[in-house]
Amino acid sequence: YLKLGEHPQAAKFLSQTNQAAATLMPLRIRRVLFCERVRSLGQYLPRKTKTFHAGEKTQIYLELLGAFFKKLSDLRYRMSVNIDLTIRDDLEKDIWQLMNYDGGKFSYNYQHPVYEVFGGLDFVMPDELKPGDYTMIVTCTDRETDKQAFGSIPFTIVAGRNRKLDTGKRLEK
């Protein structure tokens, strides 16, 4: 038990212990999938299918475990992760890549380190994808420790009209 007045020292010790543990934990993607909407950790609406048209908009939901939180000051920590997206065809050949994707929210300030974070990444399927089966490889790299984690999402591109054109008004001639 803590004696009166020992709380600040205990809090400091706990913070140091959390920092030390974070450097030893592996970085891990717990969940990655295509979604219609992302609200918060564990609160998302998954897409009903993994079928897209080239140029179609979607969101990628990502849960990340074990990111390092750098102490900036008392009650202020920062976590920062680079995200790379790679699309492979059915022959496992890399055909499209986006390095250091900045469309997600993976730089956070917190009052204390946390073990799990989430993000919703806005994404548009590349226009150059032809109909066929693909896999998106998501690579997360912790900016402080250089630890990496990988996840993958299979999907299919189908021929036909791009859904993003359906959101506007059609003009009559």
Side-chain angles (χ1 to χ4, degrees):
Y1 293 100
L2 294 176
K3 295 179 184 173
L4 187 61
E6 289 181 340
H7 291 87
Q9 294 90 346
K12 183 178 180 181
F13 175 76
L14 184 58
S15 175
Q16 291 170 344
T17 303
N18 283 342
Q19 289 291 93
T23 61
L24 299 174
M25 281 190 284
L27 187 65
R28 188 167 75 93
I29 294 175
R30 176 170 50 200
R31 189 169 289 123
V32 61
L33 62 141
F34 294 117
C35 287
E36 298 292 336
R37 188 172 43 248
V38 176
R39 293 187 183 181
S40 63
L41 181 66
Q43 301 295 313
Y44 53 87
L45 178 63
R47 278 184 59 100
K48 292 178 183 168
T49 72
K50 293 182 181 180
T51 302
F52 296 90
H53 295 84
E56 186 174 347
K57 294 178 184 179
T58 190
Q59 281 194 315
I60 300 168
Y61 174 77
L62 178 65
E63 288 180 10
L64 193 61
L65 306 175
F68 181 79
F69 280 79
K70 181 179 182 178
K71 184 174 183 175
L72 303 175
S73 64
D74 285 343
L75 298 178
R76 188 157 174 247
Y77 294 82
R78 181 164 189 78
M79 180 279 306
S80 190
V81 173
N82 283 339
I83 299 174
D84 301 331
L85 304 175
T86 302
I87 295 178
R88 292 185 179 154
D89 64 13
D90 57 346
L91 301 174
E92 297 192 19
K93 178 182 176 190
D94 293 353
I95 60 166
W96 184 91
Q97 196 166 45
L98 180 59
M99 304 298 286
N100 297 321
Y101 175 69
D102 62 1
K105 300 173 183 172
F106 273 86
S107 288
Y108 294 111
N109 287 327
Y110 285 90
Q111 289 186 346
H112 55 83
V114 296
Y115 180 66
E116 54 191 359
V117 295
F118 80 97
L121 313 174
D122 293 324
F123 184 73
V124 178
M125 288 294 172
D127 286 325
E128 60 267 23
L129 293 181
K130 295 179 171 73
D133 294 324
Y134 299 91
T135 302
M136 177 176 291
I137 306 299
V138 179
T139 304
C140 297
T141 305
D142 191 305
R143 291 180 183 156
E144 292 295 325
T145 64
D146 288 327
K147 292 187 285 188
Q148 287 191 318
F150 305 92
S152 62
I153 318 170
F155 67 97
T156 301
I157 296 291
V158 294
R161 192 170 65 187
N162 181 334
R163 285 190 189 174
K164 88 176 169 183
L165 298 176
D166 292 340
T167 61
K169 293 181 180 176
R170 289 209 174 124
L171 300 176
E172 298 296 325
K173 291 187 179 183

